[in-house]
Amino acid sequence: MKPILWITCKLPEEIVEPLKSWADVREWPTVEVNMPHEKLEEIIQEADILWTIMDNRVSRELLQTAKNLKLICNLAVGYNNIDVEAAKELGIVVTNTPGVLTETTADLAFTLMLITARRIIEAADEVRNGDWTYWGVNHLAGRDVHGATLGIVGMGRIGEALAQRAKGFNMEVLYHNRRRKPQAEEAYGFSYRELDALLQESDYVVVLTPMTPETKGLIGKRELQLMKNTSILINVARGGIVQEDALYDALKNGEIWAAGTDVFVQEPVPTSHPLLTLKNFVALPHIGSATLSTRKEMMEMNIESMHDYLEGNPIRHRVV
């Protein structure tokens, strides 16, 4: 019998069709709405392989109901939506898609810096809404990116790619990381700072650190108050690293100049969220890896892991 492969979202037909030669493929049928948790609770009981996305919360309690599950392939680099310790205890392999979205996410981080600094969303809305009625000396004036100081919190592969882009804008690049990277400092010309110093010196602070118990709530009221009142905070890492209530207060009170984020604690973010009422806040719907080529490569990496598992080979892209 073919193993049952449950796909929790609607994927392109050219990706799914070849899988049917070796798997009993069952797939959530629509792109308009992702699989609700109640359906996930149902299908995990019959799946041999589960192909998940970040919206799927795979808890210990859920894994304990899985009778046949042997492999979870998460269509993401992050995997904090899955209780990997529980999976390990239960003998369930978890894989992800590391490395593939480095350049794409760095592009998005730099884009978010530019659109936030130059007030692009406000300006575009003004045109669309018919509110562009005059030219003013400081009307919609933003802040320069070129020549400014960029502080990167979390200097992994995406951080290094962002630093390379910043050099093209003649930016001074500072970074804070759990471990210093002397070779990268020499190669790319950026400088290490303790977190407080980085926050105080930077015109732009970009959060790229993974979500861990140590980084949860890393940027809160105290940290935001260390930043310049002309500075901009960008988060393309994970919701919860920046404390959203503290960020709202800092933006509303002028403690920092603006902020942009691609991630929230609750996703999709409710339209009633206080941050969405602020003109100096730019929100994106978690699109860090959202280019056609990158998403295709991510899917192919998950399929590689499935083939490895089925053929009894060492499983590539394995988390646990």
Side-chain angles (χ1 to χ4, degrees), residues 10 89 211 237 242 252 277 302 308:
K10 182 66 175 175
E89 292 171 17
M211 174 64 124
V242 177
K252 188 175 178 61
T277 67
N302 281 154
D308 289 340

Side-chain angles (χ1 to χ4, degrees), residues 2-301:
K2 295 178 179 179
I4 296 174
L5 166 60
W6 251 108
I7 307 173
T8 64
C9 64
K10 182 66 175 175
L11 297 180
E13 190 61 27
E14 64 268 23
I15 294 292
V16 175
E17 190 60 31
L19 306 178
K20 295 177 181 178
S21 65
W22 56 264
D24 178 357
V25 178
R26 306 177 187 184
E27 183 182 20
W28 182 247
T30 177
V31 297
E32 285 77 18
V33 179
N34 286 336
M35 179 183 284
H37 191 72
E38 293 76 15
K39 182 65 176 178
L40 181 62
E41 290 176 330
E42 174 188 327
I43 63 101
I44 200 171
Q45 298 182 45
E46 64 181 12
D48 295 294
I49 302 171
L50 187 65
W51 198 348
T52 55
I53 58 175
M54 289 298 295
D55 271 4
N56 305 133
R57 301 299 169 186
V58 186
S59 65
R60 176 180 292 272
E61 292 73 23
L62 191 64
L63 289 169
Q64 288 171 339
T65 70
K67 302 179 179 68
N68 306 309
L69 188 61
K70 298 295 186 295
L71 176 66
I72 301 173
C73 294
N74 205 39
L75 190 61
V77 172
Y79 45 86
N80 54 300
N81 58 311
I82 300 169
D83 190 329
V84 293
E85 289 303 316
K88 183 177 181 179
E89 292 171 17
L90 294 167
I92 300 168
V93 175
V94 178
T95 73
N96 66 340
T97 61
V100 64
L101 47 69
T102 295
E103 300 296 336
T104 301
T105 305
D107 282 350
L108 191 278
F110 209 89
T111 300
L112 194 49
M113 284 172 55
L114 289 168
I115 64 175
T116 305
R118 294 302 303 271
R119 303 173 65 177
I120 299 300
I121 304 299
E122 287 181 78
D125 286 347
E126 186 168 291
V127 175
R128 289 179 180 274
N129 296 335
D131 297 329
W132 182 25
T133 58
Y134 73 101
W135 184 92
V137 173
N138 284 330
H139 180 57
L140 288 172
R143 296 202 171 274
D144 286 329
V145 176
H146 70 272
T149 299
L150 168 63
I152 298 174
V153 181
M155 186 56 83
R157 285 174 291 197
I158 298 171
E160 291 187 13
L162 180 62
Q164 292 177 56
R165 286 156 175 75
K167 285 300 181 181
F169 277 66
N170 295 318
M171 301 183 82
E172 179 184 0
V173 179
L174 312 177
Y175 80 100
H176 176 74
N177 202 52
R178 185 172 55 181
R179 291 185 295 271
R180 287 193 65 166
K181 296 192 165 185
Q183 290 182 332
E185 290 176 26
E186 184 175 347
Y188 303 121
F190 46 70
S191 303
Y192 177 82
R193 293 288 190 278
E194 293 295 339
L195 181 59
D196 285 3
L198 180 144
L199 296 171
Q200 291 169 329
E201 295 179 41
S202 299
D203 300 304
Y204 296 86
V205 174
V206 179
V207 178
L208 288 170
T209 185
M211 174 64 124
T212 67
E214 292 74 30
T215 63
K216 184 177 181 180
L218 179 68
I219 307 296
K221 180 178 180 179
R222 187 189 77 86
E223 290 74 24
L224 290 163
Q225 288 176 341
L226 290 174
M227 295 173 62
K228 303 174 185 179
N229 61 13
T230 57
S231 63
I232 293 173
L233 178 70
I234 302 294
N235 185 9
V236 291
R238 284 288 181 268
I241 296 173
V242 177
Q243 297 176 29
E244 292 174 356
D245 53 350
L247 179 59
Y248 172 81
D249 290 340
L251 289 167
K252 188 175 178 61
N253 298 331
E255 293 171 6
I256 64 173
W257 195 75
T261 186
D262 187 43
V263 290
F264 290 88
V265 173
Q266 180 182 345
E267 295 181 358
V269 63
T271 55
S272 59
H273 197 297
L275 281 168
L276 301 185
T277 67
L278 301 176
K279 286 188 175 182
N280 58 343
F281 178 74
V282 175
L284 299 179
H286 207 141
I287 59 169
S289 64
T291 67
L292 294 172
S293 60
T294 296
R295 289 285 169 85
K296 184 175 185 291
E297 193 171 352
M298 292 167 69
M299 288 183 265
E300 289 171 348
M301 289 177 74

